[in-house]
Amino acid sequence: LDVWLSVPTRHCFCVHILCSAALVPLTFKGQMLYGMRVSQILGAIAVNNYGGRRVLCFAVLLWSLSTAATPLAAAHLPALICTRVILGLGEGLGLPTIFQLFAQHIPAEERSRAFGYMVAAGSVGQTIASLFVPHLDWHISFELFGFVGLVWVVCWLLTYHDPPILPDEEGQQLIEQEKVCVSWSEWISHWSLWSIYIAHFAMNWSNYIIMQWLPTYLSRTLGANKESMSLTAVPYIINSLCGVAWGHSADQLISVGWPVLRVRRLMTLFGLMGPGLCLTLFPEVSNLVVAVLVISMAMGLCAANSSGHLSNHADVAPNHAGITFAISNTIATVPGILCGPLTAELVVASNGRWFPVFFLAGTINFTAAMIYYTQSSARPLL
């Protein structure tokens, strides 16, 4: 308990809450994603060269200042777009840094719950922001989240310092391993890494379908009104709670002797095949409440991925988990671009039927689950 709730991990939970909350008031997704694509891999490399303290501090400072400056830039579209690109740059630096810090500070038998809490923290941030933002003046919402981020920066600098270089031979070897240059071919030449990338892609495909199209589907197909739309928050609450539960369950299995790889594969099977089955059957549901329950079940099962392939980064690349996550998360942004237009095209081509959309999502999940189950590894590679 002391290890995974130590200073760096507590701060990482808080920064993920802030990261998610900062996205709620206004989102130019395209511009933000451009910034994230540019900075994720650069940020992961920078961690090994400059340390997690500096890089995460710079990341949060960057997105906090851009968020606070958004009201001033709102009158000029180029300036507004610039603030959102800078926000994406900061967020792209932040997440790989958190993964690298977790790989360095969290032992294998406690990683599942740490990643579970981190993923849950993202949903907490979105929920808190969604509750408060509608009741605040829009200028204040940006300034508030920017100010809270700056407060976090001060707390981070005062309470966290990168571990000192150990004087013994083992400590020197560890530092050298973290800074060693790895050929770029290594990041794409191992099937165990590709199994993680593909699982992350599939997870995001389902999540983007739910996030972008669930309100539209409920209103047009099941006749949900504005009051009923508040039910769409339920799946994300379930996702947070289940993420923590899956994490504790996975670590418990490891503590009683289960191999780490078996636990990672089991959790990923739950996290991909469970939502895949729910989404495939979802078009057959004709009751609004049952539909929300099915999607909540899908999101609850999806939360198991935090104890599966997301935690697997620290297993296969303990010295470079930030870089492998950056590559994986960059690939996993593709569904955010494709899901919108492809879903619209499938619904139109099917004369308003949604079955092809959810069947495709289920098929992608099942395929990714099989690839991960057969090709994944927990043996350190990088």
Side-chain angles (χ1 to χ4, degrees):
L1 182 64
D2 291 337
V3 172
W4 63 270
L5 282 182
S6 59
V7 169
T9 50
R10 285 201 307 270
H11 277 295
C12 288
F13 299 150
C14 293
V15 81
H16 203 211
I17 291 175
L18 294 173
C19 171
S20 301
L23 297 178
V24 171
L26 173 66
T27 302
F28 282 82
K29 286 185 179 176
Q31 286 75 16
M32 188 194 70
L33 288 176
Y34 289 142
M36 288 188 69
R37 287 195 192 96
V38 170
S39 63
Q40 283 193 94
I41 296 177
L42 294 178
I45 296 173
V47 176
N48 286 341
N49 292 327
Y50 301 105
R53 183 174 187 265
R54 293 179 181 178
V55 177
L56 193 56
C57 174
F58 179 71
V60 180
L61 184 64
L62 204 61
W63 87 53
S64 298
L65 290 175
S66 66
T67 300
T70 299
L72 298 176
H76 307 282
L77 183 59
L80 180 61
I81 293 175
C82 182
T83 61
R84 305 315 284 178
V85 171
I86 294 174
L87 171 66
L89 287 170
E91 303 239 346
L93 290 170
L95 284 176
T97 304
I98 291 174
F99 267 71
Q100 186 64 38
L101 287 172
F102 274 28
Q104 293 171 345
H105 290 283
I106 309 296
E109 64 273 13
E110 297 185 0
R111 281 180 189 148
S112 300
R113 73 189 85 168
F115 281 102
Y117 274 94
M118 187 196 71
V119 173
S123 297
V124 170
Q126 291 175 328
T127 302
I128 292 174
S130 298
L131 290 174
F132 283 99
V133 166
H135 305 287
L136 298 174
D137 179 79
W138 73 272
H139 292 83
I140 295 176
S141 64
F142 284 97
E143 293 163 357
L144 175 63
F145 289 128
F147 174 75
V148 173
L150 295 176
V151 171
W152 181 92
V153 168
V154 175
C155 294
W156 174 254
L157 291 175
L158 292 176
T159 59
Y160 176 73
H161 299 278
D162 287 319
I165 297 177
L166 301 178
D168 57 7
E169 183 177 349
E170 182 180 353
Q172 293 294 336
Q173 290 177 351
L174 179 61
I175 298 301
E176 291 175 2
Q177 288 174 358
E178 291 180 353
K179 293 188 176 182
V180 68
C181 292
V182 178
S183 170
W184 280 106
S185 63
E186 290 290 317
W187 310 110
I188 58 175
S189 60
H190 300 284
W191 259 110
S192 55
L193 287 175
W194 271 109
S195 69
I196 297 175
Y197 303 157
I198 292 170
H200 198 168
F201 177 95
M203 179 188 73
N204 273 21
W205 188 282
S206 297
N207 286 344
Y208 276 115
I209 289 290
I210 294 172
M211 181 175 65
Q212 294 179 0
W213 290 100
L214 180 60
T216 301
Y217 180 84
L218 293 180
S219 62
R220 294 186 179 181
T221 305
L222 300 180
N225 53 32
K226 291 182 179 179
E227 290 74 21
S228 302
M229 282 302 173
S230 60
L231 292 173
T232 57
V234 174
Y236 295 98
I237 297 174
I238 298 298
N239 180 265
S240 295
L241 296 175
C242 288
V244 174
W246 285 120
H248 280 274
S249 300
D251 283 341
Q252 181 63 30
L253 291 174
I254 293 173
S255 68
V256 298
W258 278 47
V260 172
L261 179 58
R262 183 187 297 178
V263 174
R264 299 288 180 248
R265 286 177 171 177
L266 177 64
M267 292 296 154
T268 302
L269 283 180
F270 281 130
L272 292 179
M273 297 188 74
L277 180 61
C278 291
L279 290 175
T280 302
L281 299 176
F282 186 65
E284 303 302 318
V285 177
S286 57
N287 180 274
L288 177 61
V289 174
V290 176
V292 173
L293 288 176
V294 171
I295 292 299
S296 297
M297 185 183 299
M299 293 298 288
L301 290 167
C302 182
N305 285 305
S306 60
S307 304
H309 64 84
L310 290 179
S311 297
N312 199 199
H313 288 281
D315 302 324
V316 298
N319 301 313
H320 304 281
I323 296 179
T324 59
F325 174 78
I327 296 172
S328 181
N329 205 36
T330 299
I331 295 172
T333 60
V334 174
I337 300 171
L338 294 181
C339 280
L342 183 58
T343 296
E345 181 65 27
L346 288 174
V347 172
V348 171
S350 303
N351 298 317
R353 295 176 65 246
W354 285 77
F355 176 76
V357 174
F358 294 113
F359 181 78
L360 175 61
T363 300
I364 291 174
N365 271 23
F366 281 116
T367 303
M370 289 297 98
I371 293 174
Y372 183 84
Y373 189 82
T374 57
Q375 301 298 327
S376 57
S377 171
R379 180 174 59 86
L381 295 173
L382 304 171

